[in-house]
Amino acid sequence: MQSNILICGVGGQGIVLTSKLIAAAAMEKDIPVMSAETIGMAQKGGSVFSFLRLGDGIYCPMFPEKTADIIIGFEPAEAVRMLPYLKDGGKIVLNTHPIMPVTATLSGSDYTGREMIEYLRRNVADVTLVDGDKACEEIGSPKVLNMVMLGAAVRNDVLPFTIDDIEETMKKTVKPQFVELNSKALRY
Amino acid sequence: MHKEFLMGNAAIARGAIAAGLDLVSGYPGTPSTEVLETTAKVNDGSIYVEWSVNEKAALELGAGAAYSGARAMVTMKQVGLNVASDPLMSLAYIGVKGGMVIMVADDPGPISSQTEQDTRHFASFSKLPCFDPSSVQEAYDMIQDAFEYSEKYHTPVLFRPTTRVCHGYASIEVKDEDEYKVNKPEGFVKDSSKWVIFPRLSYNAHMHIEERNAELSEVLSGYERNFIVPAKDSSCRRGIATHGISYTYVMEALRDKPAPAVFKVSTPFPFPEQAAVKFLEGLDEVLCVEELDPVIERELTYICGKYHLGTRILGKLTHNIKTAGENTCGTVAVSIAGFMGWEVPETAETEAPPALPVRPPVLCAGCPHRASFFAVKEAMKGKKSVFCGDIGCYTLGNAMPLDMVDTCLCMGAGVNITQGIGKIEPDTNCFAFVGDSTFFASAITGAVNAVYNQANMTLVVLDNSTTAMTGHQPHPGTGRTMMGQVVDKVSIQDVLRGVGVKTVETVDPLDLKTAVETVKRVAAEDGVKAIIFKSPCAVLIKSGKPAVIDPDKCTNCKRCIKALGCPGIVMRDGRPAIENSLCTGCGLCSQVCPFNAIGGAGNAE
C-alpha cells in the first residue's frame, strides 16, 4: 500500500515537524518513507508544504497532481493552493484560522479565509474542519496546533497509523514535560 | 547496515564519513549547506570541519589536505564554484594524493540562486570526473564511490546533487560505524616536480588527463550506476535517457506503462560512451529528460554522428523538454506521453479558485535590516541616490514598501557596481549594502579597489553577526568556529580602517534618529566612507515585549504599515494592529509613528 500525504500552511506553523513525526512513525513500523519540503527563500510567513510518501516501490518524494490521499491544511488559502494535488475522492483536514500575508496588509485587502473554506467545501466531498485557534486555547498552548491537526488527520483513517502509534513516536521526540500537552492535542 | 530517515545532504555527509573523511571545508549556500553542518554535528573530533571565508579558500584548503593524503570534501552551491574556479582549473592539472570530492549543489528552478548554471559543464570544462546522484540512498552510496575513483585516479572529482536530492528525505540503508573506512593520511611529501605548476608540467598533465579521461569513459561505461532499464516491450524502438532526480520522475511516469528502455547517466563526464552506444543501437528515437542544460542530449547527438547511428535525439534542443526551470513528475509525464504517443487524460473542468493571497519572502518582523534600509531611505529623501544590494537576507530590502535594492548581481558585487555608477554619474549618492558574512567572503577586495581608485561612495555593512539566510553559520566576525572554538573576532571596522577608509561609523539601526543623522553626515563626505549598522539577527535573540498601539492616539494614518511593511503589523477591523505572535518589540514602528501611538515595545522604553 502507498500513501501520499500533503501537509501545507505558512512558515512557523510546525509543518516540517509534523512531517518528521509521521516519517518517524513510519520508520517504527518499517514502512519505507520519503519526503520533500520547501526550504530556502521561504522564511517565516512564506507558503510551506511538505510532500510525504509511505510504502514500497516509490522512486521520488514528490508526487504528481491528483494523487494525494489527504491534504492536511494548516491554513485555508494554502490548502486551496495545493488542492490540485488531491486525488478524486481524497480527504482534507483543514485548520479554519487564516493567516494574513504582509502584502494583503499593504494593499488593504481583507482576506478572511471564509471564501477559501467555502470553496473547498463546494469542491471536495470530505472536508474535516478544525478550529485550531480554539483548540490551542483550550489545550493551553499555541504550539500544539500541529498535534491537533495530526490527530484529526489520523482519525480520518487515511494514514497507516493509530493515535496510539503517533503518541508513542511523539513521546520519543518531545521533551518529557511536553508529552502530556501533546497527547491532549493529539486526542483533541 | 541499518535504516535511518535522512535528508539528502545529511546522507552525503554520512556517506563521506563512511568513506573515511578527514577534512571538510565549504561556504554556506542553499541547497548545499547541511552537508557540512551534518558533518560538524556528528563529528567525534576526528574530522576537521571549517566554514571558510569563501569557496576559493575552502577549495584550496581541501587541496592542501588531499596533497597530504587526507580524504577531503569541499562543499558549496553552484555559484560558489565560480568563486572557486581559479584553484579548480589548476588543481585538475596537479591532481591529488588523498581522495578529494568537490560537492557542488545545483539548483534547478532556480529556487534560491542567481543562475541556473549546470555544474556538469564545469566538469567537462575542468576535465574532472562528475557524479550525479538521483536519490537520497544513491547520494549516500555514490559519494563513497566518488572518493574511491578520486583516490584511484589521483584526481579531484565533482559530485553534483540538485536541490530535490539535497533537501529530499528518505529512509535509507546506512553503514554501521564498524563498516566505515579508516584513512591514515601519510602527510605532505615534498616533490616540486609534482606540486608546483609550471607550463612544462601543465603540458604533460594535459596529455595525461586526456588519456585518463578516455580510459575513464570506458571504465564508467561499466559503472553499475550508469545503467539501462530494458524496455518492457522489446519491440519498442523508443528510449529515454535521463539523470539525477529526473530519473525518478521518469520511472514514476512509466509505472504501469508498456515502458520504453531507460538509460540512466550517473557520470555525465567522462560520458560513458560505450554504454550509450549499446543503448542507442536499434532505437529510432530517444527523449533526453534533463534539468538545467542539455548535456546528455548533446553527448548522444555527438555519439550518433561519431558512430553513424540513425537515432533521432530529442530533448531541450528540440523543445520536447522545457529549456529552463525544474522538471516535475507532472511535466515529465506529459513530455513522455507526447513522445510515446500516449493519451493524456483530460482534466475535468473545475471551479476556478478564489484569488489566493501571495506570500512573497519578506524581511522578518524585528529584522534590523528593515531599520537600516529605512534610515538610509529617510536620510536620502529627495536626493539623487543609487542603492546597490548584495546576496543575503537583505536582498529582500527590494520589496515594497522599502524598495531599497536597485541592483543585485553576485556575492560582493555591489561595492564596485556602485563605484562604476558613480564614475558615470558623479552627482549620484552611491551606496553599497553588504552583509557581514558577504563582506568577509568577497567585499574586502572591492573596498580596497574603491579606496585605491578614488571612488565616491558609502559602504553600508549590515552586521547582524551571523550568516542569516543560509541558517546562521558562524564567520570570522562571530568569534566561533565549526570546531567549537571561541576565537578572536575579526573586526569589520578595523578591516575597513586598515584598507584606508577614513570614516567608519558604527550605529545601532534601531536607534532611528541617530541612524538617519549618521547617514546624512557620512554620505555628505567625499571619498569612500563606511557605516556599520550593528544589530543582531532577530531570529537569534529573545524577543522583547510586543509593541502596543494606543487606540486613543492612533489616527489610522497607516504610516507604520506603509513605511515599514513589517509582518508584525497587520490590519484588523480596519485599523493597524500588532500581531503579537510575530512582533519582537524592536521598537522601530514606535519611532516611525507620527502620533506617538505605538509604545510598550521591549526596547523602546
Side-chain angles (χ1 to χ4, degrees):
Chain A
M1 198 198 100
Q2 289 183 1
S3 317
N4 292 343
I5 304 155
L6 206 164
I7 312 172
C8 59
V10 174
Q13 286 188 303
I15 285 147
V16 174
L17 236 76
T18 312
S19 169
K20 294 259 164 69
L21 193 68
I22 299 176
M27 291 291 287
E28 293 278 334
K29 293 198 143 198
D30 222 11
I31 301 171
V33 51
M34 284 192 186
S35 76
E37 58 214 20
T38 39
I39 314 184
M41 291 285 279
Q43 305 277 327
K44 277 185 192 169
S47 298
V48 170
F49 60 77
S50 178
F51 284 73
L52 199 68
R53 306 187 77 182
L54 312 179
D56 288 305
I58 294 165
Y59 285 95
C60 71
M62 279 83 63
F63 42 80
E65 293 191 354
K66 285 193 160 303
T67 57
D69 298 294
I70 185 167
I71 292 179
I72 309 175
F74 281 54
E75 205 282 338
E78 295 313 309
V80 172
R81 203 188 302 281
M82 300 313 272
L83 186 62
Y85 284 93
L86 193 68
K87 72 177 187 188
D88 294 334
K91 299 181 180 191
I92 295 184
V93 174
L94 182 72
N95 174 23
T96 54
H97 181 68
I99 294 178
M100 193 182 290
V102 181
T103 44
T105 302
L106 278 172
S107 65
S109 89
D110 52 350
Y111 163 65
T112 64
R114 277 192 292 276
E115 62 280 35
M116 302 295 161
I117 296 167
E118 281 157 21
Y119 172 80
L120 289 172
R121 296 185 74 155
R122 277 200 304 276
N123 289 279
V124 180
D126 194 333
V127 183
T128 307
L129 297 181
V130 179
D131 188 337
D133 253 24
K134 186 165 147 256
C136 289
E137 210 168 287
E138 283 180 28
I139 296 160
S141 164
K143 301 209 163 150
V144 296
L145 175 68
N146 54 351
M147 291 296 167
V148 172
M149 295 304 293
L150 184 52
V154 169
R155 276 190 294 278
N156 259 278
D157 277 343
V158 179
L159 312 181
F161 310 111
T162 62
I163 291 279
D164 290 344
D165 292 337
I166 297 284
E167 191 174 32
E168 281 310 306
T169 308
M170 176 270 289
K171 282 179 185 167
K172 290 179 192 164
T173 49
V174 309
K175 290 189 181 137
Q177 64 265 38
F178 298 122
V179 166
E180 201 191 319
L181 204 66
N182 281 298
S183 289
K184 225 160 114 184
L186 272 176
R187 292 171 192 283
Y188 177 79
Chain B
M1 296 287 260
H2 64 279
K3 278 208 161 176
E4 281 190 54
F5 183 65
L6 291 177
M7 183 198 242
N9 279 343
I12 292 167
R14 296 281 297 276
I17 293 169
L21 186 69
D22 297 298
L23 175 144
V24 58
S25 54
Y27 186 78
T30 311
S32 71
T33 312
E34 297 85 359
V35 176
L36 192 141
E37 286 186 326
T38 303
T39 316
K41 207 187 287 172
V42 301
N43 189 11
D44 60 3
S46 63
I47 302 167
Y48 177 75
V49 185
E50 164 180 313
W51 279 130
S52 305
V53 292
N54 62 29
E55 295 84 353
K56 174 171 149 65
L59 197 122
E60 289 154 352
L61 179 92
Y67 287 179
S68 310
R71 285 205 161 183
M73 178 164 65
V74 185
T75 75
M76 63 195 73
K77 67 183 297 178
Q78 86 285 37
V79 286
L81 192 57
N82 301 340
V83 177
S85 61
D86 198 1
L88 179 86
M89 298 304 292
S90 300
L91 185 62
Y93 281 63
I94 292 288
V96 290
K97 187 160 81 184
M100 179 173 180
V101 177
I102 303 160
M103 202 292 307
V104 185
D106 280 355
D107 184 23
I111 298 171
S112 47
S113 300
Q114 303 94 295
T115 68
E116 274 206 295
Q117 67 190 66
D118 192 324
T119 297
R120 295 178 296 169
H121 287 310
F122 245 121
S124 55
F125 181 42
S126 62
K127 306 180 190 292
L128 294 176
C130 180
F131 292 81
D132 185 1
S134 63
S135 69
V136 178
Q137 179 77 62
E138 193 172 55
Y140 179 81
D141 298 331
M142 197 185 265
I143 188 107
Q144 300 177 56
D145 299 343
F147 274 103
E148 293 301 324
Y149 276 94
S150 169
E151 212 159 274
K152 184 168 178 194
Y153 291 90
H154 308 290
T155 176
V157 304
L158 290 160
F159 183 85
R160 62 79 80 170
T162 58
T163 306
R164 297 298 176 192
V165 172
C166 290
H167 284 169
Y169 282 80
S171 48
I172 65 164
E173 292 278 349
V174 296
K175 286 180 176 168
D176 299 322
E177 271 188 48
D178 57 9
E179 296 170 275
Y180 288 6
K181 190 180 161 71
V182 180
N183 187 47
K184 295 245 186 289
E186 182 191 6
F188 181 66
V189 179
K190 289 191 186 189
D191 181 354
S192 64
S193 69
K194 185 171 170 59
W195 303 119
V196 181
I197 200 159
F198 268 117
R200 180 73 203 165
L201 178 149
S202 300
Y203 170 81
N204 289 335
H206 190 184
M207 295 290 258
H208 165 72
I209 288 167
E210 298 301 346
E211 282 165 26
R212 178 202 69 205
N213 283 348
E215 180 194 336
L216 260 175
S217 170
E218 296 271 337
V219 171
L220 291 170
S221 280
Y223 178 46
E224 59 177 349
R225 300 186 204 287
N226 287 321
F227 57 80
I228 297 165
V229 182
K232 284 183 196 161
D233 170 5
S234 56
S235 67
C236 179
R237 296 174 64 85
R238 291 195 178 90
I240 295 170
T242 184
H243 72 124
I245 193 76
S246 293
Y247 163 75
T248 68
Y249 302 154
V250 168
M251 296 311 284
E252 291 280 352
L254 297 182
R255 196 187 283 275
D256 315 318
K257 294 272 174 30
V262 176
F263 181 35
K264 178 181 184 288
V265 180
S266 294
T267 57
F269 188 83
F271 200 78
E273 194 169 300
Q274 290 311 315
V277 170
K278 205 172 127 206
F279 167 69
L280 290 169
E281 272 170 355
L283 294 181
D284 294 335
E285 282 187 319
V286 166
L287 178 68
C288 299
V289 182
E290 295 182 79
E291 272 178 337
L292 302 176
D293 289 336
V295 171
I296 298 171
E297 188 180 350
R298 285 186 192 278
E299 286 287 353
L300 293 185
T301 306
Y302 157 79
I303 288 168
C304 283
K306 182 173 170 182
Y307 292 86
H308 304 290
L309 302 173
T311 318
R312 260 183 85 207
I313 307 298
L314 308 173
K316 286 175 180 262
L317 300 171
T318 54
H319 302 289
N320 294 71
I321 298 287
K322 65 175 180 164
T323 46
E326 264 198 293
N327 289 334
T328 66
C329 282
T331 61
V332 168
V334 168
S335 299
I336 291 179
F339 171 66
M340 296 300 293
W342 294 336
E343 261 180 56
V344 182
E346 297 237 344
T347 41
E349 285 282 315
T350 46
E351 182 192 337
L356 288 164
V358 283
R359 303 186 195 273
V362 290
L363 294 171
C364 301
C367 174
H369 298 333
R370 177 177 289 105
S372 303
F373 283 125
F374 185 71
V376 176
K377 190 175 183 175
E378 282 291 290
M380 288 296 110
K381 203 180 266 177
K383 294 189 173 137
K384 188 177 176 193
S385 327
V386 68
F387 307 113
C388 294
D390 225 296
I391 307 286
C393 286
Y394 50 99
T395 315
L396 300 176
N398 76 321
M400 297 306 277
L402 289 171
D403 190 19
M404 280 295 285
V405 177
D406 295 326
T407 72
C408 179
L409 188 69
C410 65
M411 290 284 285
V415 185
N416 302 120
I417 288 177
T418 209
Q419 183 195 350
I421 291 171
K423 293 291 177 197
I424 301 302
E425 283 186 83
D427 60 337
T428 303
N429 285 282
C430 296
F431 285 82
F433 292 88
V434 66
D436 41 347
S437 188
T438 306
F439 175 79
F440 288 115
S442 50
I444 297 174
T445 46
V448 177
N449 188 69
V451 169
Y452 165 52
N453 288 301
Q454 304 298 295
N456 219 348
M457 59 167 286
T458 307
L459 174 62
V460 179
V461 182
L462 303 169
D463 181 4
N464 59 1
S465 297
T466 188
T467 316
M469 181 143 232
T470 46
H472 303 107
Q473 291 74 27
H475 62 64
T478 64
R480 285 180 296 120
T481 73
M482 286 307 271
M483 293 303 282
Q485 301 146 301
V486 176
V487 297
D488 285 343
K489 295 178 183 178
V490 179
S491 156
I492 295 172
Q493 185 169 304
D494 291 353
V495 169
L496 287 169
R497 291 238 166 86
V499 302
V501 181
K502 292 199 176 62
T503 299
V504 183
E505 300 225 14
T506 302
V507 196
D508 177 359
L510 292 168
D511 177 356
L512 189 60
K513 191 156 166 270
T514 313
V516 173
E517 281 166 6
T518 307
V519 175
K520 281 184 180 162
R521 191 178 62 248
V522 171
E525 290 179 21
D526 280 334
V528 179
K529 52 273 174 187
I531 299 167
I532 301 170
F533 280 124
K534 197 168 174 65
S535 183
C537 175
V539 176
L540 291 185
I541 52 166
K542 199 172 180 318
S543 290
K545 265 195 301 186
V548 178
I549 299 178
D550 182 341
D552 296 334
K553 288 188 187 165
C554 176
T555 65
N556 205 11
C557 73
K558 303 190 188 74
R559 161 99 174 137
C560 52
I561 287 176
K562 287 180 189 153
L564 302 177
C566 175
I569 311 175
V570 298
M571 287 298 282
R572 208 172 278 148
D573 305 321
R575 304 184 72 86
I578 302 297
E579 179 66 52
N580 285 347
S581 65
L582 295 175
C583 179
T584 66
C586 76
L588 180 63
C589 54
S590 312
Q591 301 169 69
V592 166
C593 175
F595 303 98
N596 287 320
I598 312 179
N603 45 7
E605 308 290 309

